[in-house]
Amino acid sequence: MAFSSSRNLPLVPLLLNVYIVLCAAGNFNQDFQITWGDGRAKILDNANLLTLSLDKASGSGFQSKNEYLFGKIDMQLKLVPGNSAGTVTAYYMSSKGSTWDEIDFEFLGNLSGDPYIVHTNVFTHSRGNREQQFYLWFDPTADFHTYSILWNPQRIVFSVDGTPIREYKNLESIGVPFPKSQPMRIYSSLWNADDWATRGGLIKTDWSKAPFTASYRNFNANACVWNAGKSSCNSNSPSSAASGSNAWLSQELDSTAQKRLNWVQKNYMIYNYCTDMKRFTQGLPVECTHS
């Protein structure tokens, strides 16, 4: 499948009815620390650019200095260009411990000219198995694009350039766990997964193309920072969630955003766990049959 320009995005106004960027783009030295890679991860351009690299010896990664309990997280990524088969660029939020929560973007590389697969998942209490996968409507290696996670007490929304591609709702009322009590850091890594990442492992990493490099810029976190057991958000003022810097705490998809979400899922979704009857032979997960 080649990248198509025939399915242009419809011209519509802002997608998420209360989202306004209120924070300046972050400084990578202030906001993140490189955690592994032995020099393969670099902070450049006056701390406005971060790059991760992968070669046959090792990949690399970084994590946020802050932990967050709910937030609107934006990062611009330019993915590994050319033949990226076998590589995975992971960008996600995760808590620690034996029963962790996690919100995942993973970008599965492919042969030159083939589209990347955007893999999403949500873990609660160390249980995932909620995968949805998508192609993109553009080449994510040609330029930077914004990948966003909205995480509030009611929902998780994955977005690309402001277009929602997936919504995972809080359905605790019907017994579905939802990540809401464990603070998470932001992580990213570039690593070799050619045993499964590209066509189920059929296409291996071509190390003659190494090093593989992914680039990051314009990080923004409009979020509740968790520190010493306390949140930076004012829990004593619920009205603040309706306006100002905490508007995202009650943000939901308006009708326009819902149409865009439906458009993406109709045209670019390639896997949805909620339709995988072969996998869930005893019945689909309960959230899949609840509108």
PDB file of all heavy atoms in Angstrom, residues 115-141:
ATOM      1  N   PRO A 115       3.757   1.721   3.989  1.00  0.00           N
ATOM      2  CA  PRO A 115       3.410   2.598   5.112  1.00  0.00           C
ATOM      3  C   PRO A 115       3.842   2.025   6.455  1.00  0.00           C
ATOM      4  O   PRO A 115       3.892   0.811   6.647  1.00  0.00           O
ATOM      5  CB  PRO A 115       1.879   2.669   5.030  1.00  0.00           C
ATOM      6  CG  PRO A 115       1.480   1.401   4.361  1.00  0.00           C
ATOM      7  CD  PRO A 115       2.582   1.081   3.396  1.00  0.00           C
ATOM      8  N   TYR A 116       4.165   2.924   7.358  1.00  0.00           N
ATOM      9  CA  TYR A 116       4.333   2.540   8.757  1.00  0.00           C
ATOM     10  C   TYR A 116       2.998   2.038   9.294  1.00  0.00           C
ATOM     11  O   TYR A 116       1.925   2.435   8.831  1.00  0.00           O
ATOM     12  CB  TYR A 116       4.741   3.746   9.589  1.00  0.00           C
ATOM     13  CG  TYR A 116       6.218   3.877   9.842  1.00  0.00           C
ATOM     14  CD1 TYR A 116       7.077   4.351   8.862  1.00  0.00           C
ATOM     15  CD2 TYR A 116       6.745   3.549  11.089  1.00  0.00           C
ATOM     16  CE1 TYR A 116       8.433   4.502   9.105  1.00  0.00           C
ATOM     17  CE2 TYR A 116       8.096   3.696  11.342  1.00  0.00           C
ATOM     18  CZ  TYR A 116       8.938   4.162  10.357  1.00  0.00           C
ATOM     19  OH  TYR A 116      10.270   4.305  10.607  1.00  0.00           O
ATOM     20  N   ILE A 117       3.070   1.170  10.296  1.00  0.00           N
ATOM     21  CA  ILE A 117       1.894   0.795  11.067  1.00  0.00           C
ATOM     22  C   ILE A 117       1.966   1.507  12.413  1.00  0.00           C
ATOM     23  O   ILE A 117       2.982   1.419  13.114  1.00  0.00           O
ATOM     24  CB  ILE A 117       1.808  -0.728  11.268  1.00  0.00           C
ATOM     25  CG1 ILE A 117       1.506  -1.418   9.940  1.00  0.00           C
ATOM     26  CG2 ILE A 117       0.732  -1.084  12.303  1.00  0.00           C
ATOM     27  CD1 ILE A 117       1.541  -2.936  10.008  1.00  0.00           C
ATOM     28  N   VAL A 118       0.901   2.224  12.764  1.00  0.00           N
ATOM     29  CA  VAL A 118       0.788   2.855  14.070  1.00  0.00           C
ATOM     30  C   VAL A 118       0.021   1.895  14.971  1.00  0.00           C
ATOM     31  O   VAL A 118      -1.158   1.605  14.730  1.00  0.00           O
ATOM     32  CB  VAL A 118       0.062   4.207  13.974  1.00  0.00           C
ATOM     33  CG1 VAL A 118      -0.038   4.847  15.354  1.00  0.00           C
ATOM     34  CG2 VAL A 118       0.791   5.133  13.015  1.00  0.00           C
ATOM     35  N   HIS A 119       0.687   1.394  15.975  1.00  0.00           N
ATOM     36  CA  HIS A 119       0.141   0.403  16.904  1.00  0.00           C
ATOM     37  C   HIS A 119      -0.212   1.124  18.205  1.00  0.00           C
ATOM     38  O   HIS A 119       0.618   1.837  18.770  1.00  0.00           O
ATOM     39  CB  HIS A 119       1.206  -0.671  17.138  1.00  0.00           C
ATOM     40  CG  HIS A 119       0.845  -1.716  18.147  1.00  0.00           C
ATOM     41  ND1 HIS A 119       0.375  -2.962  17.791  1.00  0.00           N
ATOM     42  CD2 HIS A 119       0.900  -1.712  19.507  1.00  0.00           C
ATOM     43  CE1 HIS A 119       0.162  -3.687  18.889  1.00  0.00           C
ATOM     44  NE2 HIS A 119       0.477  -2.946  19.944  1.00  0.00           N
ATOM     45  N   THR A 120      -1.455   0.966  18.680  1.00  0.00           N
ATOM     46  CA  THR A 120      -1.872   1.579  19.942  1.00  0.00           C
ATOM     47  C   THR A 120      -2.358   0.498  20.897  1.00  0.00           C
ATOM     48  O   THR A 120      -2.881  -0.533  20.476  1.00  0.00           O
ATOM     49  CB  THR A 120      -2.989   2.618  19.730  1.00  0.00           C
ATOM     50  OG1 THR A 120      -4.184   1.943  19.281  1.00  0.00           O
ATOM     51  CG2 THR A 120      -2.586   3.680  18.706  1.00  0.00           C
ATOM     52  N   ASN A 121      -2.190   0.773  22.195  1.00  0.00           N
ATOM     53  CA  ASN A 121      -2.645  -0.175  23.210  1.00  0.00           C
ATOM     54  C   ASN A 121      -2.858   0.575  24.516  1.00  0.00           C
ATOM     55  O   ASN A 121      -2.261   1.638  24.749  1.00  0.00           O
ATOM     56  CB  ASN A 121      -1.615  -1.293  23.400  1.00  0.00           C
ATOM     57  CG  ASN A 121      -2.209  -2.588  23.937  1.00  0.00           C
ATOM     58  OD1 ASN A 121      -3.373  -2.644  24.325  1.00  0.00           O
ATOM     59  ND2 ASN A 121      -1.405  -3.636  23.963  1.00  0.00           N
ATOM     60  N   VAL A 122      -3.705   0.029  25.366  1.00  0.00           N
ATOM     61  CA  VAL A 122      -3.957   0.571  26.701  1.00  0.00           C
ATOM     62  C   VAL A 122      -3.831  -0.577  27.699  1.00  0.00           C
ATOM     63  O   VAL A 122      -4.485  -1.613  27.535  1.00  0.00           O
ATOM     64  CB  VAL A 122      -5.356   1.214  26.809  1.00  0.00           C
ATOM     65  CG1 VAL A 122      -5.626   1.678  28.244  1.00  0.00           C
ATOM     66  CG2 VAL A 122      -5.492   2.383  25.835  1.00  0.00           C
ATOM     67  N   PHE A 123      -2.982  -0.395  28.703  1.00  0.00           N
ATOM     68  CA  PHE A 123      -2.813  -1.376  29.770  1.00  0.00           C
ATOM     69  C   PHE A 123      -3.420  -0.841  31.065  1.00  0.00           C
ATOM     70  O   PHE A 123      -3.253   0.344  31.386  1.00  0.00           O
ATOM     71  CB  PHE A 123      -1.331  -1.641  30.050  1.00  0.00           C
ATOM     72  CG  PHE A 123      -0.628  -2.458  29.012  1.00  0.00           C
ATOM     73  CD1 PHE A 123      -0.261  -1.905  27.791  1.00  0.00           C
ATOM     74  CD2 PHE A 123      -0.290  -3.772  29.266  1.00  0.00           C
ATOM     75  CE1 PHE A 123       0.419  -2.646  26.840  1.00  0.00           C
ATOM     76  CE2 PHE A 123       0.386  -4.535  28.323  1.00  0.00           C
ATOM     77  CZ  PHE A 123       0.732  -3.967  27.107  1.00  0.00           C
ATOM     78  N   THR A 124      -4.111  -1.693  31.785  1.00  0.00           N
ATOM     79  CA  THR A 124      -4.538  -1.392  33.143  1.00  0.00           C
ATOM     80  C   THR A 124      -4.208  -2.581  34.028  1.00  0.00           C
ATOM     81  O   THR A 124      -4.516  -3.726  33.674  1.00  0.00           O
ATOM     82  CB  THR A 124      -6.053  -1.100  33.227  1.00  0.00           C
ATOM     83  OG1 THR A 124      -6.776  -2.169  32.591  1.00  0.00           O
ATOM     84  CG2 THR A 124      -6.402   0.207  32.544  1.00  0.00           C
ATOM     85  N   HIS A 125      -3.562  -2.287  35.142  1.00  0.00           N
ATOM     86  CA  HIS A 125      -3.177  -3.341  36.091  1.00  0.00           C
ATOM     87  C   HIS A 125      -2.390  -4.440  35.385  1.00  0.00           C
ATOM     88  O   HIS A 125      -2.645  -5.621  35.573  1.00  0.00           O
ATOM     89  CB  HIS A 125      -4.395  -3.910  36.815  1.00  0.00           C
ATOM     90  CG  HIS A 125      -5.206  -2.862  37.513  1.00  0.00           C
ATOM     91  ND1 HIS A 125      -6.561  -2.973  37.693  1.00  0.00           N
ATOM     92  CD2 HIS A 125      -4.852  -1.661  38.065  1.00  0.00           C
ATOM     93  CE1 HIS A 125      -7.013  -1.886  38.311  1.00  0.00           C
ATOM     94  NE2 HIS A 125      -5.989  -1.085  38.546  1.00  0.00           N
ATOM     95  N   SER A 126      -1.462  -4.032  34.525  1.00  0.00           N
ATOM     96  CA  SER A 126      -0.531  -4.882  33.775  1.00  0.00           C
ATOM     97  C   SER A 126      -1.199  -5.726  32.690  1.00  0.00           C
ATOM     98  O   SER A 126      -0.562  -6.598  32.102  1.00  0.00           O
ATOM     99  CB  SER A 126       0.294  -5.780  34.716  1.00  0.00           C
ATOM    100  OG  SER A 126      -0.498  -6.750  35.352  1.00  0.00           O
ATOM    101  N   ARG A 127      -2.458  -5.456  32.390  1.00  0.00           N
ATOM    102  CA  ARG A 127      -3.157  -6.187  31.338  1.00  0.00           C
ATOM    103  C   ARG A 127      -3.412  -5.287  30.139  1.00  0.00           C
ATOM    104  O   ARG A 127      -3.993  -4.208  30.273  1.00  0.00           O
ATOM    105  CB  ARG A 127      -4.487  -6.730  31.852  1.00  0.00           C
ATOM    106  CG  ARG A 127      -5.314  -7.450  30.782  1.00  0.00           C
ATOM    107  CD  ARG A 127      -6.691  -7.846  31.281  1.00  0.00           C
ATOM    108  NE  ARG A 127      -7.531  -8.315  30.197  1.00  0.00           N
ATOM    109  CZ  ARG A 127      -8.285  -7.530  29.431  1.00  0.00           C
ATOM    110  NH1 ARG A 127      -8.300  -6.230  29.636  1.00  0.00           N
ATOM    111  NH2 ARG A 127      -9.025  -8.040  28.461  1.00  0.00           N
ATOM    112  N   GLY A 128      -2.939  -5.727  28.968  1.00  0.00           N
ATOM    113  CA  GLY A 128      -3.162  -4.972  27.743  1.00  0.00           C
ATOM    114  C   GLY A 128      -4.183  -5.672  26.859  1.00  0.00           C
ATOM    115  O   GLY A 128      -5.355  -5.730  27.166  1.00  0.00           O
ATOM    116  N   ASN A 129      -3.715  -6.202  25.731  1.00  0.00           N
ATOM    117  CA  ASN A 129      -4.579  -6.927  24.799  1.00  0.00           C
ATOM    118  C   ASN A 129      -5.707  -6.048  24.254  1.00  0.00           C
ATOM    119  O   ASN A 129      -6.792  -6.533  23.963  1.00  0.00           O
ATOM    120  CB  ASN A 129      -5.173  -8.187  25.441  1.00  0.00           C
ATOM    121  CG  ASN A 129      -4.106  -9.158  25.907  1.00  0.00           C
ATOM    122  OD1 ASN A 129      -3.068  -9.295  25.261  1.00  0.00           O
ATOM    123  ND2 ASN A 129      -4.347  -9.814  27.033  1.00  0.00           N
ATOM    124  N   ARG A 130      -5.436  -4.758  24.122  1.00  0.00           N
ATOM    125  CA  ARG A 130      -6.445  -3.834  23.580  1.00  0.00           C
ATOM    126  C   ARG A 130      -5.864  -3.101  22.366  1.00  0.00           C
ATOM    127  O   ARG A 130      -5.945  -1.885  22.259  1.00  0.00           O
ATOM    128  CB  ARG A 130      -6.876  -2.836  24.654  1.00  0.00           C
ATOM    129  CG  ARG A 130      -7.450  -3.494  25.914  1.00  0.00           C
ATOM    130  CD  ARG A 130      -7.950  -2.438  26.891  1.00  0.00           C
ATOM    131  NE  ARG A 130      -8.529  -3.040  28.077  1.00  0.00           N
ATOM    132  CZ  ARG A 130      -7.894  -3.143  29.247  1.00  0.00           C
ATOM    133  NH1 ARG A 130      -6.656  -2.688  29.376  1.00  0.00           N
ATOM    134  NH2 ARG A 130      -8.484  -3.695  30.286  1.00  0.00           N
ATOM    135  N   GLU A 131      -5.322  -3.849  21.454  1.00  0.00           N
ATOM    136  CA  GLU A 131      -4.594  -3.259  20.341  1.00  0.00           C
ATOM    137  C   GLU A 131      -5.522  -2.747  19.240  1.00  0.00           C
ATOM    138  O   GLU A 131      -6.491  -3.413  18.877  1.00  0.00           O
ATOM    139  CB  GLU A 131      -3.633  -4.288  19.735  1.00  0.00           C
ATOM    140  CG  GLU A 131      -2.605  -4.853  20.697  1.00  0.00           C
ATOM    141  CD  GLU A 131      -3.067  -6.123  21.383  1.00  0.00           C
ATOM    142  OE1 GLU A 131      -4.285  -6.418  21.351  1.00  0.00           O
ATOM    143  OE2 GLU A 131      -2.212  -6.836  21.957  1.00  0.00           O
ATOM    144  N   GLN A 132      -5.203  -1.599  18.720  1.00  0.00           N
ATOM    145  CA  GLN A 132      -5.742  -1.123  17.450  1.00  0.00           C
ATOM    146  C   GLN A 132      -4.563  -0.626  16.626  1.00  0.00           C
ATOM    147  O   GLN A 132      -3.639   0.003  17.161  1.00  0.00           O
ATOM    148  CB  GLN A 132      -6.768  -0.006  17.640  1.00  0.00           C
ATOM    149  CG  GLN A 132      -8.078  -0.474  18.261  1.00  0.00           C
ATOM    150  CD  GLN A 132      -9.116   0.637  18.349  1.00  0.00           C
ATOM    151  OE1 GLN A 132      -8.859   1.788  18.000  1.00  0.00           O
ATOM    152  NE2 GLN A 132     -10.299   0.285  18.824  1.00  0.00           N
ATOM    153  N   GLN A 133      -4.602  -0.914  15.316  1.00  0.00           N
ATOM    154  CA  GLN A 133      -3.507  -0.530  14.436  1.00  0.00           C
ATOM    155  C   GLN A 133      -4.046   0.241  13.238  1.00  0.00           C
ATOM    156  O   GLN A 133      -5.155  -0.023  12.754  1.00  0.00           O
ATOM    157  CB  GLN A 133      -2.742  -1.765  13.949  1.00  0.00           C
ATOM    158  CG  GLN A 133      -2.018  -2.519  15.051  1.00  0.00           C
ATOM    159  CD  GLN A 133      -1.225  -3.692  14.515  1.00  0.00           C
ATOM    160  OE1 GLN A 133      -1.463  -4.192  13.419  1.00  0.00           O
ATOM    161  NE2 GLN A 133      -0.250  -4.145  15.296  1.00  0.00           N
ATOM    162  N   PHE A 134      -3.216   1.155  12.749  1.00  0.00           N
ATOM    163  CA  PHE A 134      -3.624   2.062  11.687  1.00  0.00           C
ATOM    164  C   PHE A 134      -2.471   2.285  10.718  1.00  0.00           C
ATOM    165  O   PHE A 134      -1.299   2.254  11.094  1.00  0.00           O
ATOM    166  CB  PHE A 134      -4.009   3.437  12.263  1.00  0.00           C
ATOM    167  CG  PHE A 134      -5.035   3.399  13.357  1.00  0.00           C
ATOM    168  CD1 PHE A 134      -4.656   3.168  14.674  1.00  0.00           C
ATOM    169  CD2 PHE A 134      -6.381   3.588  13.085  1.00  0.00           C
ATOM    170  CE1 PHE A 134      -5.595   3.128  15.691  1.00  0.00           C
ATOM    171  CE2 PHE A 134      -7.326   3.550  14.093  1.00  0.00           C
ATOM    172  CZ  PHE A 134      -6.937   3.314  15.401  1.00  0.00           C
ATOM    173  N   TYR A 135      -2.819   2.545   9.452  1.00  0.00           N
ATOM    174  CA  TYR A 135      -1.912   3.219   8.553  1.00  0.00           C
ATOM    175  C   TYR A 135      -2.133   4.721   8.722  1.00  0.00           C
ATOM    176  O   TYR A 135      -3.146   5.161   9.273  1.00  0.00           O
ATOM    177  CB  TYR A 135      -2.174   2.829   7.094  1.00  0.00           C
ATOM    178  CG  TYR A 135      -1.764   1.430   6.726  1.00  0.00           C
ATOM    179  CD1 TYR A 135      -2.571   0.633   5.911  1.00  0.00           C
ATOM    180  CD2 TYR A 135      -0.544   0.900   7.146  1.00  0.00           C
ATOM    181  CE1 TYR A 135      -2.189  -0.650   5.547  1.00  0.00           C
ATOM    182  CE2 TYR A 135      -0.157  -0.383   6.792  1.00  0.00           C
ATOM    183  CZ  TYR A 135      -0.982  -1.151   6.004  1.00  0.00           C
ATOM    184  OH  TYR A 135      -0.604  -2.418   5.636  1.00  0.00           O
ATOM    185  N   LEU A 136      -1.190   5.511   8.203  1.00  0.00           N
ATOM    186  CA  LEU A 136      -1.331   6.962   8.212  1.00  0.00           C
ATOM    187  C   LEU A 136      -1.654   7.454   6.804  1.00  0.00           C
ATOM    188  O   LEU A 136      -1.422   6.749   5.823  1.00  0.00           O
ATOM    189  CB  LEU A 136      -0.054   7.619   8.737  1.00  0.00           C
ATOM    190  CG  LEU A 136       0.239   7.350  10.226  1.00  0.00           C
ATOM    191  CD1 LEU A 136       1.664   7.769  10.580  1.00  0.00           C
ATOM    192  CD2 LEU A 136      -0.775   8.064  11.104  1.00  0.00           C
ATOM    193  N   TRP A 137      -2.171   8.639   6.720  1.00  0.00           N
ATOM    194  CA  TRP A 137      -2.563   9.225   5.441  1.00  0.00           C
ATOM    195  C   TRP A 137      -1.464  10.136   4.887  1.00  0.00           C
ATOM    196  O   TRP A 137      -1.690  10.940   3.993  1.00  0.00           O
ATOM    197  CB  TRP A 137      -3.868  10.002   5.592  1.00  0.00           C
ATOM    198  CG  TRP A 137      -3.887  10.942   6.764  1.00  0.00           C
ATOM    199  CD1 TRP A 137      -3.564  12.273   6.776  1.00  0.00           C
ATOM    200  CD2 TRP A 137      -4.233  10.610   8.112  1.00  0.00           C
ATOM    201  NE1 TRP A 137      -3.683  12.783   8.037  1.00  0.00           N
ATOM    202  CE2 TRP A 137      -4.102  11.778   8.881  1.00  0.00           C
ATOM    203  CE3 TRP A 137      -4.648   9.432   8.742  1.00  0.00           C
ATOM    204  CZ2 TRP A 137      -4.360  11.810  10.258  1.00  0.00           C
ATOM    205  CZ3 TRP A 137      -4.902   9.464  10.102  1.00  0.00           C
ATOM    206  CH2 TRP A 137      -4.764  10.641  10.845  1.00  0.00           C
ATOM    207  N   PHE A 138      -0.259   9.978   5.411  1.00  0.00           N
ATOM    208  CA  PHE A 138       0.894  10.766   4.968  1.00  0.00           C
ATOM    209  C   PHE A 138       2.143   9.925   5.249  1.00  0.00           C
ATOM    210  O   PHE A 138       2.087   8.894   5.937  1.00  0.00           O
ATOM    211  CB  PHE A 138       0.979  12.110   5.706  1.00  0.00           C
ATOM    212  CG  PHE A 138       0.963  11.963   7.208  1.00  0.00           C
ATOM    213  CD1 PHE A 138       2.130  11.692   7.923  1.00  0.00           C
ATOM    214  CD2 PHE A 138      -0.228  12.077   7.924  1.00  0.00           C
ATOM    215  CE1 PHE A 138       2.109  11.540   9.296  1.00  0.00           C
ATOM    216  CE2 PHE A 138      -0.251  11.930   9.297  1.00  0.00           C
ATOM    217  CZ  PHE A 138       0.931  11.655   9.983  1.00  0.00           C
ATOM    218  N   ASP A 139       3.277  10.391   4.745  1.00  0.00           N
ATOM    219  CA  ASP A 139       4.553   9.723   4.999  1.00  0.00           C
ATOM    220  C   ASP A 139       5.138  10.291   6.296  1.00  0.00           C
ATOM    221  O   ASP A 139       5.580  11.442   6.321  1.00  0.00           O
ATOM    222  CB  ASP A 139       5.498   9.974   3.818  1.00  0.00           C
ATOM    223  CG  ASP A 139       6.863   9.325   4.007  1.00  0.00           C
ATOM    224  OD1 ASP A 139       7.131   8.776   5.096  1.00  0.00           O
ATOM    225  OD2 ASP A 139       7.672   9.384   3.050  1.00  0.00           O
ATOM    226  N   PRO A 140       5.179   9.525   7.380  1.00  0.00           N
ATOM    227  CA  PRO A 140       5.630  10.060   8.665  1.00  0.00           C
ATOM    228  C   PRO A 140       7.144  10.206   8.774  1.00  0.00           C
ATOM    229  O   PRO A 140       7.640  10.638   9.815  1.00  0.00           O
ATOM    230  CB  PRO A 140       5.113   9.018   9.666  1.00  0.00           C
ATOM    231  CG  PRO A 140       5.143   7.742   8.905  1.00  0.00           C
ATOM    232  CD  PRO A 140       4.772   8.103   7.495  1.00  0.00           C
ATOM    233  N   THR A 141       7.858   9.832   7.706  1.00  0.00           N
ATOM    234  CA  THR A 141       9.312   9.963   7.713  1.00  0.00           C
ATOM    235  C   THR A 141       9.783  11.226   6.992  1.00  0.00           C
ATOM    236  O   THR A 141      10.959  11.577   7.078  1.00  0.00           O
ATOM    237  CB  THR A 141       9.972   8.752   7.038  1.00  0.00           C
ATOM    238  OG1 THR A 141       9.777   8.819   5.619  1.00  0.00           O
ATOM    239  CG2 THR A 141       9.369   7.456   7.560  1.00  0.00           C
TER     240      THR A 141
END
